[in-house]
Amino acid sequence: MLFLSHQVELKDIEVNIYNYITANIHKVCFMRIRDLANATHVSTTTILRFCKKFGCEGYSDFRLRLQLYTEELDKKALEVSSIDEMPFIEFLKRTSFPEFQEKINAAATILKETDLVLFVGIGTSSTMAGYGAMLYSSLFTLALNIEDPLNTPLYNISSNLDSKICLITISVSGENEDLIDCINQLKIHKSHIISITNSANSTISRLSDVNLPYYTNTEMYRETNITSQLPVTYILEMLARKVHQIKNEK
């Protein structure tokens, strides 16, 4: 809530002040208390009470903290850099290396014996999980996307399905706790785990039967991870086509 890390309980008139400040945040940084009072149709005393709710001694203190907050916001609002093709080119080269092909073959060996593929991811990785579920269902077996892993318990899976389920976990960092919980629930059932992560040195990669790392530049915009999902798309499609090919050879 502005420069505070917690919520503040505001009266209706104070909500109007708050809404005005957030809509005119850079302007308010240079307004006198009388100007802000006039703009929000309240008294200066009301403004002072509002400032104290934000832990400030007075209006000058509030305005200073607001200025520092806006400067921090401006620093985070950086331009998004142009796409650098080199990491993608290097990734594509690595996919032809024997080590990577061995991982693809190991994952395909698991999936060819799988009756149900479960996909899970958070944020943009969840979008990729949805795409993977659609693609794999189309090419070789039923696949479902777990859209809300936090509220989708997996401990009631029938023992008859244990070895016939494979969880494909997609995560840039490989450290999301909700995804780790999903993996641990399925490992109890002795189901197989395949992960697609940005690095092989993560908790999720180490918990997996097969990890497919892609090693690309991690990119953040403000609080959002905007790391490219192009390598993930390529891995999903490469693996799906490999399994489809193996099954058709029978």
Side-chain angles (χ1 to χ4, degrees):
M1 200 168 194
L2 289 179
F3 44 75
L4 298 180
S5 60
H6 58 276
Q7 297 295 317
V8 176
E9 186 174 341
L10 301 175
K11 297 179 180 178
D12 290 344
I13 194 170
E14 293 168 336
V15 170
N16 291 335
I17 298 172
Y18 177 82
N19 289 338
Y20 180 86
I21 292 173
T22 54
N24 303 273
I25 193 165
H26 288 87
K27 178 180 177 181
V28 172
C29 289
F30 301 97
M31 292 176 69
R32 299 173 302 174
I33 186 171
R34 171 61 62 186
D35 296 331
L36 180 59
N38 290 338
T40 53
H41 309 291
V42 299
S43 66
T44 55
T45 303
T46 301
I47 297 294
L48 288 173
R49 283 199 297 265
F50 176 88
C51 295
K52 288 182 179 180
K53 286 196 173 182
F54 281 80
C56 300
E57 295 181 1
Y59 181 70
S60 296
D61 184 25
F62 176 85
R63 193 171 65 174
L64 176 61
R65 294 181 66 179
L66 191 66
Q67 287 175 343
L68 294 173
Y69 174 68
T70 56
E71 289 174 4
E72 187 65 26
L73 286 180
D74 292 339
K75 287 180 182 178
K76 291 182 178 180
L78 302 175
E79 290 185 6
V80 178
S81 59
S82 300
I83 291 179
D84 182 4
E85 296 87 353
M86 286 309 299
F88 302 134
I89 294 173
E90 292 300 320
F91 162 73
L92 291 173
K93 289 180 180 178
R94 289 195 301 272
T95 62
S96 63
F97 291 173
E99 181 181 0
F100 191 86
Q101 287 297 319
E102 288 174 6
K103 290 178 178 289
I104 288 291
N105 290 335
T109 299
I110 291 173
L111 289 170
K112 74 176 182 179
E113 303 298 333
T114 297
D115 290 338
L116 174 62
V117 181
L118 297 176
F119 280 87
V120 67
I122 300 291
T124 54
S125 294
S126 177
T127 302
M128 299 311 302
Y131 171 65
M134 180 276 295
L135 180 65
Y136 285 39
S137 291
S138 300
L139 290 182
F140 61 88
T141 195
L142 177 64
L144 302 173
N145 178 25
I146 302 174
E147 297 183 358
D148 185 8
L150 181 62
N151 297 305
T152 308
L154 301 171
Y155 40 75
N156 285 325
I157 294 173
S158 169
S159 58
N160 295 327
L161 290 173
D162 282 356
S163 61
K164 293 295 184 179
I165 293 178
C166 178
L167 177 71
I168 297 182
T169 307
I170 304 175
S171 173
V172 176
S173 68
E175 299 295 343
N176 186 277
E177 293 184 3
D178 293 339
L179 301 184
I180 292 171
D181 286 342
C182 281
I183 291 173
N184 288 330
Q185 288 182 50
L186 281 171
K187 285 180 76 70
I188 293 174
H189 288 274
K190 298 181 175 58
S191 299
H192 294 290
I193 310 295
I194 296 172
S195 62
I196 302 174
T197 60
N198 194 30
S199 169
N201 299 315
S202 66
T203 302
I204 287 176
S205 63
R206 291 192 292 268
L207 288 173
S208 307
D209 298 301
V210 180
N211 173 245
L212 300 167
Y214 47 92
Y215 298 108
T216 192
N217 297 333
T218 301
E219 187 176 5
M220 299 294 296
Y221 182 75
R222 294 187 175 179
E223 306 300 327
T224 305
N225 189 322
I226 60 170
T227 301
S228 174
Q229 297 295 299
L230 181 60
V232 177
T233 304
Y234 188 86
I235 290 172
L236 286 173
E237 295 186 359
M238 173 189 279
L239 183 55
R241 291 169 185 268
K242 182 70 175 179
V243 178
H244 178 77
Q245 181 183 19
I246 293 173
K247 282 181 166 284
N248 283 347
E249 287 175 352
K250 291 184 177 181

